[in-house]
Each structure stands twice: as C-alpha cells, then as structure tokens.
Amino acid sequence: MKSEQEFKKIISSGFWRHISRYSFIPEKHKNTRNDFCNNLYRDIINKKYHPNIPKDYVINNKHNGVTRLIPVLTKKDTCVYYFCVKALEDFLSEGYVDCTFGGFRLNGKIKEKEDDLFNEINEAPYSVSPFSYNPSAWVGAWTDFQKKAYAISREGVLSYFIIFDIANFYDSINLILLENKIRNSADKTSSEVVDLLFYFLKYWDRELSFYAPRTTGIPMDDFGDSSRLLANFFLQDYDKKIHNYCELNNSKYLRYADDQIILSSDKNVAEKILRFGSIELSKMGLNINVEF
C-alpha cells in the first residue's frame, strides 16, 4: 500500500477543492483536508473502510428521452476511487493504441476558476460533465478525435464510414476481466491498491445490489474521470486487434471512449471489419449498439 504521505499527495489540495466545490451534492466537513485524509487512510490501513451507499442518484437525459442515473458518491468514496486509479495510472496508460482518444491522464491542472471552460463545455454537442477532474483535457481529446476523422475524410481515399458505439458500455464492463487485465499489467507492489479498487467497485452500489458483489459495471459518477480511464484501459486489447485488422485491410480505425469509426474505401470491407469488431467485443461481454 502507498504511504500516508503518498496518499495525501494524490488527494491534493487542488483535487480536494474541486470535489468540494463541484459535486452535485456537496458535503460539509468540519475536518480539514489533512485531517480527513489522515482518518481515511487510517481506516483503509486498519481494514475499517467500506464503500458507502451513494448520497443520491441524479437523473440525466442521455438523449431522446433516455435517462441515465448518475450516482453521487460520498467524498470518502470519491477519494478512495480516485486514489486507486491515480496510483495505478502508469500501468493503465501505457498501452495506448494509435488513433484512440479520451485516454488522457488524471494529472491535468485543476483551475479554481473554470466558468469560461464550463460555458464552452455546455455549448458542446456531446455529453461532457463540467464536474470532471480534467474537463479541458476531455474537450481537447474530443476535439482531436473530430479533427482526425475530418482530416482523413478530406483525403478522399477512405470515403466509406461506419460510426457506432457500445451498448451500455460502462454498465457492461466485466469486473473479473478488468481485474485480471490490471493485475497482469501492474507490478506486485500494487496488489493492495488493486484489492482496494475492486473492493470498492464490487460494493459501491449496495442500494441497488444489496450485499451481492457486482460482477459487471463501473460507476458513471458525477466525477467520471476515474471510470473513464478504467474503461479506456479495458478496451486496449480490442483496440490493438481491430486497429491491426484495419491496417491489413487498408482501412482506418478511430475511437473516443466507446464512440468508434471505421473508415474504408469499400463498403464490403468496412462491414467485414465491423463484424470482426463485433465478435471481439462479444468475447469481452460487450455488444455494439444496434441503433447505430
């Protein structure tokens, strides 16, 4: 396990201010960040920490009347989740595949005044939470994704596009597969952090799952960057396979989060790649959204 000093370094003053200020349901604490971290770290080391029931669920309109429940985690659980993912960040980030976007790291600068950036995000034609730890990186990665797709389309060589996404992506991530992937990537000194991470992931949702451990799904909470990084890591093996398959078929593959584009000069080839991707995703317990 990381030392107490390392724990408090990860739960930095900037991170603390951000989650205190921008949570859907802010919590007031008499303790300072230092005292809060001391108590939380002591609970973790003494095996007294356990995930709490979310403070509430916020209903978000996904699109066309489809709603998404966003759990608002307690500050303790938000800190534990962020600590675990941040401590494992190097392992989660090292398998980057060319032409995938949205796998930015968690250590972006957290500004105290973000009103201008939030206005920019609110005008964007896609779903971005202004409560993200690193909203500027979120916007930047999506912009890079769009620019890349546009540049390829302007070349005129790959004129056939298939655009699709994964159905219920975050809710369908297999925790057993995810844990095995992380343990195979991380070093042995990180095993207790991995233990803590999956203790949280299996039991954060007791209000809905009672005492049964979750076997699928990671929380799309109001601060979603931790889940975003895990979700991106979960797809890296798939990225490598479909990227290489596209290269063999003189085609291109782009992905941002679970939004994916296959670019090809031939409709039949693009559909063949889509079938290949569908099979590979099904091996991971994922399915392409049938409404794409």
Side-chain angles (χ1 to χ4, degrees):
M1 178 58 70
K2 298 283 187 181
S3 68
E4 185 172 358
Q5 289 72 26
E6 291 173 308
F7 180 81
K8 286 193 280 190
K9 184 177 180 180
I10 289 176
I11 310 301
S12 65
S13 57
F15 172 78
W16 176 262
R17 285 195 302 271
H18 192 78
I19 64 173
S20 298
R21 182 176 301 175
Y22 294 116
S23 175
F24 280 123
I25 306 175
E27 291 178 44
K28 293 183 179 180
H29 288 278
K30 295 180 180 179
N31 293 340
T32 63
R33 178 188 69 89
N34 188 64
D35 290 339
F36 180 93
C37 288
N38 288 341
N39 293 334
L40 179 54
Y41 185 81
R42 192 178 304 116
D43 284 346
I44 293 170
I45 293 301
N46 293 328
K47 313 298 188 297
K48 292 183 178 180
Y49 164 77
H50 60 83
N52 291 282
I53 291 173
K55 290 181 287 186
D56 208 338
Y57 292 83
V58 175
I59 297 177
N60 180 46
N61 181 18
K62 190 174 180 181
H63 84 101
N64 293 335
V66 177
T67 58
R68 171 184 290 156
L69 286 179
I70 300 174
V72 183
L73 303 176
T74 65
K75 188 174 284 188
K76 283 187 177 181
D77 291 340
T78 298
C79 288
V80 167
Y81 193 20
Y82 179 77
F83 162 73
C84 290
V85 176
K86 180 68 177 173
L88 297 168
E89 185 178 33
D90 288 343
F91 307 110
L92 300 175
S93 303
E94 63 186 12
Y96 168 78
V97 178
D98 187 31
C99 291
T100 61
F101 302 84
F104 54 86
R105 297 168 70 88
L106 295 174
N107 58 352
K109 294 180 180 178
I110 298 173
K111 300 177 182 178
E112 293 188 20
K113 296 182 179 180
E114 295 173 312
D115 292 342
D116 292 340
L117 178 59
F118 288 178
N119 290 335
E120 175 186 347
I121 291 170
N122 290 333
E123 293 173 0
Y126 53 94
S127 177
V128 174
S129 170
F131 307 101
S132 164
Y133 304 136
N134 196 356
S136 59
W138 198 332
V139 171
W142 176 259
T143 301
D144 289 343
F145 171 71
Q146 289 181 312
K147 287 180 177 178
K148 184 72 171 180
Y150 179 73
I152 295 174
S153 70
R154 295 287 291 175
E155 293 173 0
V157 178
L158 305 176
S159 56
Y160 195 84
F161 285 31
I162 294 182
I163 302 172
F164 61 100
D165 64 7
I166 299 172
N168 302 315
F169 177 40
Y170 278 42
D171 291 334
S172 301
I173 291 175
N174 186 302
L175 294 182
I176 296 174
L177 290 180
L178 178 61
E179 182 174 359
N180 288 339
K181 286 176 181 286
I182 292 177
R183 290 193 186 277
N184 288 333
S185 298
D187 58 36
K188 292 182 179 179
T189 62
S190 302
S191 61
E192 289 185 335
V193 174
V194 179
D195 291 342
L196 179 60
L197 171 62
F198 281 91
Y199 175 59
F200 165 78
L201 289 175
K202 291 175 182 178
Y203 293 101
W204 68 270
D205 197 26
R206 289 197 313 280
E207 186 168 5
L208 300 180
S209 58
F210 199 55
Y211 285 103
R214 291 183 67 99
T215 57
T216 58
I218 58 179
M220 296 188 68
D221 57 306
D222 52 346
F223 297 105
D225 284 4
S226 296
S227 287
R228 176 201 47 74
L229 189 56
L230 289 179
N232 189 75
F233 172 79
F234 188 68
L235 287 177
Q236 285 178 353
D237 290 340
Y238 163 78
D239 289 333
K240 294 173 185 175
K241 291 177 181 179
I242 194 168
H243 175 268
N244 292 339
Y245 195 71
C246 282
E247 291 290 309
L248 289 173
N249 287 276
N250 299 314
S251 301
K252 294 289 185 182
Y253 164 70
L254 298 176
R255 177 176 68 79
Y256 179 89
D258 65 325
D259 295 321
Q260 302 170 60
I261 304 177
I262 294 169
L263 307 97
S264 182
S265 59
D266 184 273
K267 177 181 178 181
N268 292 329
V269 170
E271 290 177 346
K272 181 178 73 170
I273 295 170
L274 180 65
R275 287 194 293 272
F276 174 84
S278 179
I279 292 170
E280 291 302 317
L281 286 171
S282 68
K283 295 176 183 178
M284 304 165 61
L286 303 175
N287 296 288
I288 291 175
N289 193 335
V290 296
E291 296 181 356
F292 77 88

